[in-house]
Amino acid sequence: MNNDAVRLRSVTRRHGSGGTSVTALDQVSLAFPRGTFTAVMGPSGSGKSTLLRCAAGLDRPTSGSVTLGDTELTGLNETELTLLRRARVGFVFQAFNLLPALTAEQNVALPLRLAGRRPKKARVREVLEEVGLADRARHRPTELSGGQQQRVALARALITRPEVLFGDEPTGALDSRTGRAVLALLRGMVDRDGRTVVMVTHDPVAASCADRVVFLVDGRAGGELIGAPAGDIAARMTGLEAAPC
Ligand code: ADP
Ligand code: MG
Protein backbone atom coordinates (compact mmCIF):
# COMPACT_ATOMS: atom_id res chain seq x y z
CA MET A 1 0.00 0.00 0.00
CA ASN A 2 1.61 3.27 -0.98
CA ASN A 3 1.52 6.32 1.24
CA ASP A 4 -0.05 8.65 -1.32
CA ALA A 5 -3.80 8.82 -1.64
CA VAL A 6 -3.39 10.33 -5.11
CA ARG A 7 -0.39 10.86 -7.33
CA LEU A 8 -0.14 12.73 -10.64
CA ARG A 9 2.87 12.07 -12.83
CA SER A 10 3.64 14.56 -15.57
CA VAL A 11 -0.05 15.19 -16.23
CA THR A 12 -0.88 17.29 -19.28
CA ARG A 13 -4.46 18.16 -20.20
CA ARG A 14 -5.12 19.91 -23.49
CA HIS A 15 -8.52 21.14 -24.64
CA GLY A 16 -9.29 21.36 -28.34
CA SER A 17 -6.75 20.81 -31.07
CA GLY A 18 -4.58 22.68 -33.52
CA GLY A 19 -4.11 26.43 -33.26
CA THR A 20 -7.00 26.95 -30.85
CA SER A 21 -5.92 24.32 -28.33
CA VAL A 22 -5.53 25.33 -24.69
CA THR A 23 -3.08 23.59 -22.38
CA ALA A 24 -4.92 23.61 -19.05
CA LEU A 25 -2.28 21.46 -17.31
CA ASP A 26 1.30 21.21 -18.45
CA GLN A 27 3.33 18.26 -17.10
CA VAL A 28 2.18 18.58 -13.51
CA SER A 29 3.61 16.09 -11.00
CA LEU A 30 2.13 16.18 -7.51
CA ALA A 31 1.36 13.77 -4.69
CA PHE A 32 -1.32 14.05 -2.02
CA PRO A 33 -0.21 11.94 0.97
CA ARG A 34 -2.83 10.07 2.98
CA GLY A 35 -4.15 11.87 6.04
CA THR A 36 -3.17 15.34 4.83
CA PHE A 37 -5.04 18.50 3.88
CA THR A 38 -3.76 20.25 0.74
CA ALA A 39 -4.97 23.58 -0.66
CA VAL A 40 -4.55 24.35 -4.37
CA MET A 41 -4.19 28.01 -5.33
CA GLY A 42 -3.40 29.97 -8.46
CA PRO A 43 -4.74 32.75 -10.65
CA SER A 44 -8.03 32.29 -12.48
CA GLY A 45 -7.52 29.96 -15.47
CA SER A 46 -4.32 28.46 -14.05
CA GLY A 47 -5.75 24.92 -14.20
CA LYS A 48 -6.95 24.33 -10.62
CA SER A 49 -10.31 22.82 -11.56
CA THR A 50 -8.73 20.74 -14.31
CA LEU A 51 -6.16 19.42 -11.81
CA LEU A 52 -8.89 18.38 -9.39
CA ARG A 53 -11.01 16.82 -12.13
CA CYS A 54 -8.07 14.79 -13.44
CA ALA A 55 -7.08 13.72 -9.91
CA ALA A 56 -10.66 12.61 -9.17
CA GLY A 57 -11.17 10.69 -12.41
CA LEU A 58 -13.77 13.20 -13.66
CA ASP A 59 -11.53 14.15 -16.58
CA ARG A 60 -8.81 12.28 -18.44
CA PRO A 61 -5.29 13.62 -18.92
CA THR A 62 -4.05 14.01 -22.50
CA SER A 63 -0.80 12.45 -21.29
CA GLY A 64 0.78 11.44 -18.00
CA SER A 65 -0.72 9.24 -15.29
CA VAL A 66 -2.94 9.51 -12.24
CA THR A 67 -2.98 6.87 -9.51
CA LEU A 68 -5.57 6.63 -6.74
CA GLY A 69 -4.00 4.44 -4.06
CA ASP A 70 -2.58 1.63 -6.16
CA THR A 71 -5.02 2.04 -9.04
CA GLU A 72 -3.81 3.57 -12.27
CA LEU A 73 -6.79 5.62 -13.54
CA THR A 74 -5.53 6.06 -17.08
CA GLY A 75 -5.84 2.31 -17.63
CA LEU A 76 -9.55 2.18 -16.74
CA ASN A 77 -12.43 2.20 -19.19
CA GLU A 78 -15.45 4.51 -18.70
CA THR A 79 -17.46 1.98 -16.69
CA GLU A 80 -14.56 1.18 -14.38
CA LEU A 81 -13.87 4.88 -13.92
CA THR A 82 -17.51 5.59 -13.05
CA LEU A 83 -17.52 2.80 -10.47
CA LEU A 84 -14.24 4.04 -9.00
CA ARG A 85 -15.57 7.62 -8.72
CA ARG A 86 -18.70 6.44 -6.96
CA ALA A 87 -16.92 4.23 -4.47
CA ARG A 88 -13.55 5.81 -3.78
CA VAL A 89 -13.72 9.57 -4.39
CA GLY A 90 -15.80 12.36 -2.85
CA PHE A 91 -16.31 15.71 -4.58
CA VAL A 92 -17.90 18.96 -3.41
CA PHE A 93 -18.32 22.04 -5.59
CA GLN A 94 -18.85 25.74 -5.07
CA ALA A 95 -22.48 25.27 -6.14
CA PHE A 96 -23.82 22.67 -3.75
CA ASN A 97 -25.55 20.66 -6.51
CA LEU A 98 -28.17 19.13 -4.24
CA LEU A 99 -31.35 17.75 -5.79
CA PRO A 100 -34.09 20.21 -4.75
CA ALA A 101 -36.90 17.63 -4.63
CA LEU A 102 -35.04 15.41 -2.16
CA THR A 103 -34.64 15.87 1.59
CA ALA A 104 -31.19 16.18 3.15
CA GLU A 105 -31.13 12.49 4.06
CA GLN A 106 -32.29 11.46 0.59
CA ASN A 107 -29.59 13.61 -1.01
CA VAL A 108 -26.98 12.05 1.27
CA ALA A 109 -28.17 8.51 0.47
CA LEU A 110 -28.15 9.12 -3.29
CA PRO A 111 -24.59 7.93 -4.07
CA LEU A 112 -25.38 4.57 -2.45
CA ARG A 113 -28.65 4.26 -4.39
CA LEU A 114 -26.84 5.09 -7.64
CA ALA A 115 -24.38 2.32 -6.81
CA GLY A 116 -27.31 -0.07 -6.40
CA ARG A 117 -26.81 -0.36 -2.64
CA ARG A 118 -29.51 0.02 -0.04
CA PRO A 119 -28.56 2.93 2.23
CA LYS A 120 -28.62 2.05 5.93
CA LYS A 121 -30.54 4.60 8.00
CA ALA A 122 -27.89 4.51 10.71
CA ARG A 123 -25.10 5.28 8.23
CA VAL A 124 -27.02 8.24 6.74
CA ARG A 125 -27.64 9.55 10.27
CA GLU A 126 -23.99 9.08 11.16
CA VAL A 127 -22.68 11.26 8.31
CA LEU A 128 -25.36 13.89 8.92
CA GLU A 129 -24.23 13.95 12.56
CA GLU A 130 -20.63 14.27 11.46
CA VAL A 131 -21.49 17.51 9.65
CA GLY A 132 -23.74 18.70 12.49
CA LEU A 133 -27.04 18.37 10.64
CA ALA A 134 -28.78 15.40 12.25
CA ASP A 135 -31.70 17.66 13.15
CA ARG A 136 -32.21 18.76 9.53
CA ALA A 137 -32.48 15.29 7.96
CA ARG A 138 -36.03 15.85 6.67
CA HIS A 139 -35.45 19.37 5.30
CA ARG A 140 -35.24 20.12 1.62
CA PRO A 141 -32.39 22.27 0.23
CA THR A 142 -34.61 25.40 -0.04
CA GLU A 143 -35.29 25.09 3.70
CA LEU A 144 -31.56 25.16 4.50
CA SER A 145 -28.98 27.97 4.58
CA GLY A 146 -26.05 27.97 2.15
CA GLY A 147 -23.70 26.66 4.83
CA GLN A 148 -26.13 23.90 5.75
CA GLN A 149 -26.56 22.94 2.09
CA GLN A 150 -22.79 22.67 1.68
CA ARG A 151 -22.66 20.48 4.79
CA VAL A 152 -25.31 18.20 3.24
CA ALA A 153 -23.13 18.07 0.10
CA LEU A 154 -20.17 17.13 2.32
CA ALA A 155 -22.17 14.38 4.02
CA ARG A 156 -23.21 13.10 0.58
CA ALA A 157 -19.54 13.04 -0.48
CA LEU A 158 -18.59 11.13 2.69
CA ILE A 159 -21.31 8.47 2.70
CA THR A 160 -19.22 6.00 0.68
CA ARG A 161 -16.14 6.55 2.90
CA PRO A 162 -14.04 7.88 0.01
CA GLU A 163 -10.25 7.65 0.07
CA VAL A 164 -9.99 11.32 -0.90
CA LEU A 165 -12.34 14.26 -0.58
CA PHE A 166 -11.93 16.92 -3.28
CA GLY A 167 -13.44 20.40 -2.94
CA ASP A 168 -13.45 22.92 -5.81
CA GLU A 169 -13.87 26.24 -3.99
CA PRO A 170 -16.23 24.64 -1.46
CA THR A 171 -16.41 27.84 0.59
CA GLY A 172 -16.54 30.14 -2.46
CA ALA A 173 -20.30 30.74 -2.23
CA LEU A 174 -20.43 31.08 1.56
CA ASP A 175 -20.05 34.13 3.78
CA SER A 176 -16.83 34.09 5.76
CA ARG A 177 -18.31 32.87 9.06
CA THR A 178 -20.19 29.98 7.41
CA GLY A 179 -17.13 29.23 5.30
CA ARG A 180 -15.04 28.95 8.47
CA ALA A 181 -17.43 26.35 9.88
CA VAL A 182 -17.05 24.23 6.72
CA LEU A 183 -13.24 24.59 6.89
CA ALA A 184 -13.25 23.51 10.53
CA LEU A 185 -15.19 20.41 9.49
CA LEU A 186 -12.66 19.61 6.76
CA ARG A 187 -9.76 20.14 9.15
CA GLY A 188 -11.43 17.85 11.70
CA MET A 189 -11.93 15.11 9.09
CA VAL A 190 -8.18 15.09 8.52
CA ASP A 191 -7.09 15.40 12.16
CA ARG A 192 -9.69 13.14 13.76
CA ASP A 193 -10.40 10.60 11.05
CA GLY A 194 -7.17 10.64 9.03
CA ARG A 195 -9.02 11.54 5.84
CA THR A 196 -7.27 13.06 2.84
CA VAL A 197 -8.62 16.42 1.63
CA VAL A 198 -7.64 18.42 -1.46
CA MET A 199 -9.30 21.82 -1.79
CA VAL A 200 -9.11 24.60 -4.38
CA THR A 201 -9.55 28.04 -2.86
CA HIS A 202 -8.95 31.71 -3.64
CA ASP A 203 -8.93 32.63 0.03
CA PRO A 204 -5.53 32.71 1.80
CA VAL A 205 -7.26 32.33 5.19
CA ALA A 206 -9.02 29.18 3.96
CA ALA A 207 -5.75 27.90 2.50
CA SER A 208 -4.00 28.46 5.84
CA CYS A 209 -6.24 25.73 7.32
CA ALA A 210 -4.43 23.22 5.10
CA ASP A 211 -1.12 21.51 5.91
CA ARG A 212 0.31 22.54 2.57
CA VAL A 213 -0.55 24.95 -0.23
CA VAL A 214 0.43 24.06 -3.80
CA PHE A 215 0.43 26.80 -6.43
CA LEU A 216 -0.43 26.53 -10.11
CA VAL A 217 0.71 29.09 -12.67
CA ASP A 218 -0.35 28.76 -16.32
CA GLY A 219 -1.04 25.07 -15.86
CA ARG A 220 2.33 24.33 -14.25
CA ALA A 221 3.23 23.47 -10.68
CA GLY A 222 4.45 26.73 -9.16
CA GLY A 223 5.92 25.67 -5.83
CA GLU A 224 4.38 25.13 -2.42
CA LEU A 225 4.19 26.46 1.13
CA ILE A 226 4.00 24.19 4.16
CA GLY A 227 2.27 25.29 7.37
CA ALA A 228 2.26 28.91 6.21
CA PRO A 229 0.16 31.64 7.82
CA ALA A 230 -2.47 33.44 5.69
CA GLY A 231 -0.27 36.53 5.28
CA ASP A 232 2.54 34.55 3.65
CA ILE A 233 0.08 32.75 1.38
CA ALA A 234 -1.53 36.06 0.34
CA ALA A 235 1.88 37.55 -0.44
CA ARG A 236 2.77 34.55 -2.62
CA MET A 237 -0.56 34.79 -4.48
CA THR A 238 -0.07 38.52 -5.09
CA GLY A 239 3.29 37.67 -6.63
CA LEU A 240 1.63 35.18 -9.01
CA GLU A 241 -1.18 37.44 -10.26
CA ALA A 242 -0.34 39.34 -13.42
CA ALA A 243 -0.61 43.10 -12.94
CA PRO A 244 -3.83 44.34 -14.63
CA CYS A 245 -2.29 47.67 -15.65
P1 ADP B 1 -9.06 27.45 -12.87
O1 ADP B 1 -9.94 26.48 -12.16
O2 ADP B 1 -7.72 27.62 -12.25
O3 ADP B 1 -9.72 28.80 -13.07
P2 ADP B 1 -9.49 25.73 -15.19
O4 ADP B 1 -8.88 24.43 -14.83
O5 ADP B 1 -10.97 25.84 -15.09
O6 ADP B 1 -8.77 26.90 -14.35
O7 ADP B 1 -9.07 26.11 -16.67
C1 ADP B 1 -7.72 26.12 -17.13
C2 ADP B 1 -7.69 26.54 -18.59
O8 ADP B 1 -8.30 25.54 -19.39
C3 ADP B 1 -8.42 27.85 -18.87
O9 ADP B 1 -7.73 28.53 -19.88
C4 ADP B 1 -9.77 27.37 -19.35
O10 ADP B 1 -10.36 28.33 -20.20
C5 ADP B 1 -9.41 26.09 -20.10
N1 ADP B 1 -10.50 25.10 -20.08
C6 ADP B 1 -10.99 24.46 -19.00
N2 ADP B 1 -11.97 23.61 -19.34
C7 ADP B 1 -12.09 23.71 -20.69
C8 ADP B 1 -12.93 23.06 -21.66
N3 ADP B 1 -13.83 22.12 -21.30
N4 ADP B 1 -12.78 23.43 -22.95
C9 ADP B 1 -11.87 24.34 -23.33
N5 ADP B 1 -11.06 24.97 -22.47
C10 ADP B 1 -11.15 24.66 -21.17
MG1 MG C 1 -11.80 26.63 -11.27
mmCIF file of all heavy atoms in Angstrom, residues 7 12 14 18 35 37 57 85 93 138 156 161 198 209:
data_model
loop_
_atom_site.group_PDB
_atom_site.id
_atom_site.type_symbol
_atom_site.label_atom_id
_atom_site.label_comp_id
_atom_site.label_asym_id
_atom_site.label_seq_id
_atom_site.Cartn_x
_atom_site.Cartn_y
_atom_site.Cartn_z
ATOM 1 N N ARG A 7 -1.648 10.383 -6.763
ATOM 2 C CA ARG A 7 -0.392 10.864 -7.327
ATOM 3 C C ARG A 7 -0.576 11.174 -8.809
ATOM 4 O O ARG A 7 -1.161 10.379 -9.550
ATOM 5 C CB ARG A 7 0.698 9.801 -7.134
ATOM 6 C CG ARG A 7 2.026 10.161 -7.754
ATOM 7 C CD ARG A 7 3.035 9.072 -7.476
ATOM 8 N NE ARG A 7 3.616 9.204 -6.147
ATOM 9 C CZ ARG A 7 4.670 9.987 -5.861
ATOM 10 N NH1 ARG A 7 5.220 10.708 -6.802
ATOM 11 N NH2 ARG A 7 5.152 10.017 -4.647
ATOM 12 N N THR A 12 -0.562 16.208 -18.345
ATOM 13 C CA THR A 12 -0.883 17.289 -19.278
ATOM 14 C C THR A 12 -2.338 17.115 -19.712
ATOM 15 O O THR A 12 -2.780 15.997 -19.974
ATOM 16 C CB THR A 12 0.045 17.238 -20.513
ATOM 17 O OG1 THR A 12 1.385 17.523 -20.091
ATOM 18 C CG2 THR A 12 -0.367 18.266 -21.570
ATOM 19 N N ARG A 14 -4.916 18.919 -22.440
ATOM 20 C CA ARG A 14 -5.115 19.914 -23.487
ATOM 21 C C ARG A 14 -6.574 19.889 -23.900
ATOM 22 O O ARG A 14 -7.180 18.831 -23.979
ATOM 23 C CB ARG A 14 -4.224 19.551 -24.681
ATOM 24 C CG ARG A 14 -3.344 20.700 -25.145
ATOM 25 C CD ARG A 14 -2.328 20.271 -26.203
ATOM 26 N NE ARG A 14 -1.044 19.941 -25.618
ATOM 27 C CZ ARG A 14 -0.424 18.769 -25.712
ATOM 28 N NH1 ARG A 14 -0.975 17.776 -26.385
ATOM 29 N NH2 ARG A 14 0.735 18.588 -25.127
ATOM 30 N N GLY A 18 -5.116 21.733 -32.546
ATOM 31 C CA GLY A 18 -4.578 22.684 -33.520
ATOM 32 C C GLY A 18 -4.292 24.037 -32.895
ATOM 33 O O GLY A 18 -3.952 24.136 -31.716
ATOM 34 N N GLY A 35 -4.034 11.220 4.738
ATOM 35 C CA GLY A 35 -4.154 11.874 6.035
ATOM 36 C C GLY A 35 -3.668 13.308 6.054
ATOM 37 O O GLY A 35 -3.376 13.840 7.121
ATOM 38 N N PHE A 37 -4.124 17.500 4.408
ATOM 39 C CA PHE A 37 -5.041 18.501 3.877
ATOM 40 C C PHE A 37 -4.210 19.429 2.984
ATOM 41 O O PHE A 37 -3.299 20.092 3.470
ATOM 42 C CB PHE A 37 -5.661 19.264 5.050
ATOM 43 C CG PHE A 37 -6.753 20.255 4.720
ATOM 44 C CD1 PHE A 37 -7.459 20.866 5.750
ATOM 45 C CD2 PHE A 37 -7.105 20.556 3.408
ATOM 46 C CE1 PHE A 37 -8.477 21.778 5.481
ATOM 47 C CE2 PHE A 37 -8.124 21.454 3.131
ATOM 48 C CZ PHE A 37 -8.802 22.071 4.177
ATOM 49 N N GLY A 57 -10.632 11.579 -11.385
ATOM 50 C CA GLY A 57 -11.166 10.694 -12.409
ATOM 51 C C GLY A 57 -12.403 11.241 -13.090
ATOM 52 O O GLY A 57 -13.160 10.502 -13.728
ATOM 53 N N ARG A 85 -15.162 6.302 -9.229
ATOM 54 C CA ARG A 85 -15.572 7.623 -8.723
ATOM 55 C C ARG A 85 -16.654 7.483 -7.660
ATOM 56 O O ARG A 85 -16.621 8.163 -6.643
ATOM 57 C CB ARG A 85 -16.122 8.471 -9.871
ATOM 58 C CG ARG A 85 -15.080 9.193 -10.691
ATOM 59 C CD ARG A 85 -15.730 10.332 -11.462
ATOM 60 N NE ARG A 85 -16.848 9.895 -12.281
ATOM 61 C CZ ARG A 85 -16.742 9.572 -13.568
ATOM 62 N NH1 ARG A 85 -15.576 9.640 -14.187
ATOM 63 N NH2 ARG A 85 -17.804 9.198 -14.247
ATOM 64 N N PHE A 93 -18.524 20.922 -4.681
ATOM 65 C CA PHE A 93 -18.322 22.037 -5.594
ATOM 66 C C PHE A 93 -18.736 23.338 -4.913
ATOM 67 O O PHE A 93 -19.364 23.332 -3.854
ATOM 68 C CB PHE A 93 -19.173 21.828 -6.857
ATOM 69 C CG PHE A 93 -18.848 20.562 -7.596
ATOM 70 C CD1 PHE A 93 -19.506 19.376 -7.292
ATOM 71 C CD2 PHE A 93 -17.875 20.544 -8.585
ATOM 72 C CE1 PHE A 93 -19.207 18.195 -7.956
ATOM 73 C CE2 PHE A 93 -17.563 19.372 -9.255
ATOM 74 C CZ PHE A 93 -18.231 18.196 -8.942
ATOM 75 N N ARG A 138 -34.800 15.859 7.482
ATOM 76 C CA ARG A 138 -36.029 15.851 6.669
ATOM 77 C C ARG A 138 -36.244 17.145 5.912
ATOM 78 O O ARG A 138 -37.270 17.334 5.270
ATOM 79 C CB ARG A 138 -37.246 15.578 7.573
ATOM 80 C CG ARG A 138 -37.167 14.260 8.321
ATOM 81 C CD ARG A 138 -37.398 13.116 7.340
ATOM 82 N NE ARG A 138 -37.013 11.827 7.911
ATOM 83 C CZ ARG A 138 -37.767 11.109 8.730
ATOM 84 N NH1 ARG A 138 -38.931 11.545 9.118
ATOM 85 N NH2 ARG A 138 -37.337 9.940 9.180
ATOM 86 N N ARG A 156 -22.965 13.931 1.758
ATOM 87 C CA ARG A 156 -23.210 13.101 0.577
ATOM 88 C C ARG A 156 -21.884 12.588 -0.004
ATOM 89 O O ARG A 156 -21.792 11.447 -0.455
ATOM 90 C CB ARG A 156 -23.969 13.923 -0.470
ATOM 91 C CG ARG A 156 -24.259 13.151 -1.748
ATOM 92 C CD ARG A 156 -25.009 13.983 -2.764
ATOM 93 N NE ARG A 156 -24.272 15.182 -3.109
ATOM 94 C CZ ARG A 156 -24.711 16.121 -3.947
ATOM 95 N NH1 ARG A 156 -25.911 16.005 -4.503
ATOM 96 N NH2 ARG A 156 -23.973 17.178 -4.215
ATOM 97 N N ARG A 161 -17.477 6.601 2.282
ATOM 98 C CA ARG A 161 -16.139 6.548 2.897
ATOM 99 C C ARG A 161 -15.036 6.629 1.840
ATOM 100 O O ARG A 161 -14.221 5.709 1.674
ATOM 101 C CB ARG A 161 -15.958 5.264 3.712
ATOM 102 C CG ARG A 161 -16.914 5.140 4.878
ATOM 103 C CD ARG A 161 -16.494 3.984 5.778
ATOM 104 N NE ARG A 161 -17.272 3.961 6.995
ATOM 105 C CZ ARG A 161 -18.442 3.349 7.139
ATOM 106 N NH1 ARG A 161 -18.964 2.696 6.106
ATOM 107 N NH2 ARG A 161 -19.075 3.376 8.286
ATOM 108 N N VAL A 198 -8.297 17.539 -0.491
ATOM 109 C CA VAL A 198 -7.639 18.418 -1.458
ATOM 110 C C VAL A 198 -8.658 19.481 -1.859
ATOM 111 O O VAL A 198 -9.734 19.151 -2.350
ATOM 112 C CB VAL A 198 -7.169 17.657 -2.718
ATOM 113 C CG1 VAL A 198 -6.440 18.601 -3.670
ATOM 114 C CG2 VAL A 198 -6.281 16.478 -2.346
ATOM 115 N N CYS A 209 -5.725 26.868 6.544
ATOM 116 C CA CYS A 209 -6.239 25.730 7.322
ATOM 117 C C CYS A 209 -5.608 24.420 6.862
ATOM 118 O O CYS A 209 -5.672 23.409 7.556
ATOM 119 C CB CYS A 209 -7.755 25.596 7.172
ATOM 120 S SG CYS A 209 -8.657 26.958 7.892
#
